[in-house]
Amino acid sequence: MVLQICKYGEKVLREKSIPVAAVTEELRTLASDMLETMRKARGVGLAAQQIGRTESMCVIEIPEGCEEDEDALFNAPVAMPLKLFNPEIIAKEGSQRDKEGCLSFPGVGGSVTRAEQVTCQYLDENNRHQIITARGFLARALQHEIDHLNGVLYVDHLSAVERLSFSSKLKKLAKANGGVR
Ligand code: CO
């Protein structure tokens, strides 16, 4: 089922998620619906807050060909799509700067500095503890989605100059969706 995506301005995007005690059938269905919603919107990641929920869960799917060859090789052990419950970044290394967008910010995209490599622990949909290490685009997606789960949005990471250049767009978007910045 395709769900409605919450846009910048909606209060839920600033809410912190609550860890799930266990992955239930209901949450597995929700993760599948989130994946379907994300694919339809042509996104590479979606977090619970973006569909109005506050469980600590997100989905990620990097389409083939989107990564640099070296990163694709490094990330090969990580099977797509990812359905992550209670994900946490436990190690970070290096830095990368690239353009980033978000399905909750239609028409706005800016450059964000993130760690080049991250190690993430989470619960998979079968309630097994997993640890993955990712680089490049996938590492960026993990950081972006886990930020969502903490009520942090990618615009929070924009430089002052870039934030200023998007300021009227962001103001308009927030105003149209409830006004919470
Ligand atoms: Co996002």
Side-chain angles (χ1 to χ4, degrees):
M1 184 171 77
V2 172
L3 308 165
Q4 180 125 16
I5 298 178
C6 299
K7 304 289 188 320
Y8 183 54
E10 292 187 54
K11 187 169 157 273
V12 67
L13 290 178
R14 287 301 187 183
E15 281 171 20
K16 280 194 183 166
S17 62
I18 297 151
V20 306
V23 183
T24 58
E25 197 52 47
E26 194 235 329
L27 293 180
R28 271 189 285 274
T29 304
L30 183 61
S32 295
D33 289 345
M34 285 169 66
L35 207 53
E36 192 184 340
T37 304
M38 182 199 84
R39 285 173 177 153
K40 188 171 176 249
R42 294 172 187 274
V44 298
L46 195 69
Q49 280 83 347
Q50 292 180 280
I51 46 118
R53 303 280 292 237
T54 51
E55 289 90 345
S56 178
M57 59 186 285
C58 61
V59 296
I60 291 174
E61 185 175 51
I62 310 289
E64 258 182 70
C66 277
E67 294 177 289
E68 296 192 22
D69 290 353
E70 239 176 77
D71 293 338
L73 205 63
F74 185 91
N75 295 333
V78 183
M80 295 288 153
L82 280 168
K83 296 171 185 173
L84 309 128
F85 299 85
N86 304 340
E88 244 180 278
I89 289 168
I90 54 171
K92 287 183 183 193
E93 218 176 277
S95 98
Q96 56 169 321
R97 186 168 177 80
D98 213 336
K99 269 212 114 183
E100 208 165 295
C102 177
L103 293 176
S104 296
F105 292 81
V108 187
S111 292
V112 178
T113 301
R114 304 255 187 206
E116 169 61 22
Q117 182 180 309
V118 295
T119 299
C120 173
Q121 67 174 26
Y122 64 97
L123 209 57
D124 72 14
E125 63 177 334
N126 300 310
N127 287 293
R128 285 182 304 226
H129 284 277
Q130 304 281 358
I131 293 184
I132 52 170
T133 297
R135 271 187 200 166
F137 192 25
L138 178 55
R140 171 176 293 282
L142 283 163
Q143 291 167 87
H144 180 114
E145 299 314 325
I146 292 170
D147 262 1
H148 270 301
L149 299 178
N150 291 306
V152 176
L153 300 169
Y154 91 97
V155 290
D156 302 339
H157 296 294
L158 294 177
S159 68
V161 172
E162 219 162 14
R163 198 187 311 234
L164 200 63
S165 74
F166 293 137
S167 131
S168 70
K169 256 188 182 174
L170 289 175
K171 208 179 275 179
K172 223 179 267 173
L173 188 60
K175 206 178 162 196
N177 292 290
V180 177
R181 306 289 298 266

